[in-house]
């Protein structure tokens, strides 16, 4: 079937009337196969769907939004594209609900890097749609979150936030601000640092898997 985004899917082995969803959102320059490598290790009662970002980056990667550089090599995000991708992900979730027996009350995001930044934006803009967020190696960008998000009811959201302490792509100092934002919004969360660069340590994987399984 043709939906808004290309994707890979692993259907649940444990079939319920409606099964929960883990939606995987990859990072800049990667593709839907990247995080899907986790799929066989994730809980078997979930639909596991890994989406491909909409902007192609040759030779074989994709991005949720462009990262541009000015003459002094300062880099900045294309927030307009990020907002479009945020709402595209929300539309994609609605399409998945129409096409698969997914529990609309148990939709969970796992995002890495740019995918984590978009996960913050989706969950804080549309908190009624999301149950849990695993934000790996990302940061909070208020410019791509729906205006007035501070007034949303975030009481049902839960966040797992992690970062590599020697991340060479997104500084650890940026990540350390994430728990402060979540605390201000009264969002239940846990924050972890691991002695790695811009990647997911094995312990990080075990920790967020535990977070997903917990009620």
């Amino acid at each position: 079937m043709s939906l808004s985004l290309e994707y890979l899917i692993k259907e649940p082995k444990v079939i319920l009337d409606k099964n929960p969803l883990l939606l995987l959102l990859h990072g800049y320059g990667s593709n839907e196969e990247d995080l899907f490598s986790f799929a066989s290790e994730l809980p078997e009662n979930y639909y596991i769907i890994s989406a491909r970002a909409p902007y192609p980056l040759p030779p074989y990667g994709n991005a949720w939004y462009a990262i541009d550089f000015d003459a002094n090599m300062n880099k900045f995000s294309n927030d307009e594209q990020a907002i479009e991708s945020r709402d595209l992900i929300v539309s994609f979730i609605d399409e998945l609900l129409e096409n698969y027996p997914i529990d609309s009350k148990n939709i969970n995001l796992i995002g890495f890097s740019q995918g984590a930044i978009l996960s913050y934006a989706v969950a804080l803009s549309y908190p009624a749609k999301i149950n849990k967020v695993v934000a790996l190696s990302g940061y909070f960008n208020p410019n791509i979150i729906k205006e007035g998000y501070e007034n949303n009811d975030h009481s049902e959201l839960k966040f797992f936030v992690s970062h590599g302490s020697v991340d060479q792509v997104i500084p650890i100092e940026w990540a350390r601000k994430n728990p402060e934002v979540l605390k201000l919004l009264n969002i239940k969360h846990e924050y972890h640092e691991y002695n790695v660069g811009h990647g997911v340590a094995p312990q990080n994987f075990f920790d967020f898997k535990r977070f997903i399984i917990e009620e």
Side-chain angles (χ1 to χ4, degrees):
M1 68 187 78
S2 179
L3 305 186
S4 304
L5 294 169
E6 296 290 326
Y7 63 97
L8 295 172
I9 180 169
K10 180 175 181 283
E11 301 210 10
K13 287 187 178 174
V14 180
I15 304 297
L16 308 170
D17 285 344
K18 290 196 177 266
N19 285 70
L21 168 67
L22 284 172
L23 179 58
L24 315 181
L25 304 173
H26 65 76
Y28 181 85
S30 187
N31 60 41
E32 69 276 22
E33 293 177 6
D34 183 14
L35 295 179
F36 200 67
S37 60
F38 290 149
S40 62
E41 303 296 324
L42 292 169
E44 294 188 334
N45 58 319
Y46 284 79
Y47 276 94
I48 298 166
I49 293 176
S50 188
R52 181 195 303 170
Y55 297 101
L57 279 180
Y60 54 81
N62 292 77
W64 296 101
Y65 53 88
I67 296 174
D68 301 311
F69 295 84
D70 65 16
N72 298 317
M73 293 306 287
N74 297 309
K75 64 180 179 182
F76 56 94
S77 303
N78 186 322
D79 288 342
E80 286 182 13
Q81 286 184 350
I83 289 167
E84 286 174 12
S85 284
R86 177 198 77 196
D87 291 340
L88 189 60
I89 291 165
V90 173
S91 297
F92 181 61
I93 289 170
D94 289 340
E95 292 170 350
L96 292 174
L97 289 170
E98 287 172 17
N99 286 280
Y100 296 98
I102 290 169
D103 181 357
S104 64
K105 301 292 184 195
N106 202 346
I107 291 170
N108 309 280
L109 306 177
I110 300 179
F112 175 75
S113 194
Q114 213 179 56
I117 296 165
L118 262 296
S119 295
Y120 278 106
V122 169
L124 298 183
S125 299
Y126 304 97
K129 286 187 173 290
I130 306 299
N131 179 39
K132 292 181 177 180
V133 175
V134 174
L136 307 166
S137 305
Y139 63 90
F140 170 80
N141 178 0
N143 300 327
I144 64 171
I145 301 175
K146 217 168 171 55
E147 198 173 336
Y149 73 91
E150 303 93 336
N151 303 317
N152 289 341
D153 178 4
H154 299 110
S155 60
E156 298 300 316
L157 281 175
K158 298 183 186 74
F159 269 75
F160 176 99
V161 180
S162 66
H163 214 83
S165 57
V166 287
D167 192 320
Q168 69 282 21
V169 177
I170 296 175
I172 187 69
E173 290 75 22
W174 295 15
R176 286 173 178 159
K177 295 174 183 173
N178 296 333
E180 296 170 23
V181 172
L182 297 172
K183 192 173 179 181
L184 282 172
L185 295 170
N186 292 312
I187 293 173
K188 300 179 198 76
H189 63 278
E190 52 184 91
Y191 176 75
H192 302 264
E193 292 181 9
Y194 303 90
N195 187 30
V196 292
H198 196 60
V200 180
Q203 188 59 49
N204 191 357
F205 176 79
F206 293 124
D207 288 343
F208 83 64
K209 184 176 174 181
R210 182 241 336 132
F211 167 80
I212 289 165
I213 294 168
E214 285 176 350
E215 286 302 320

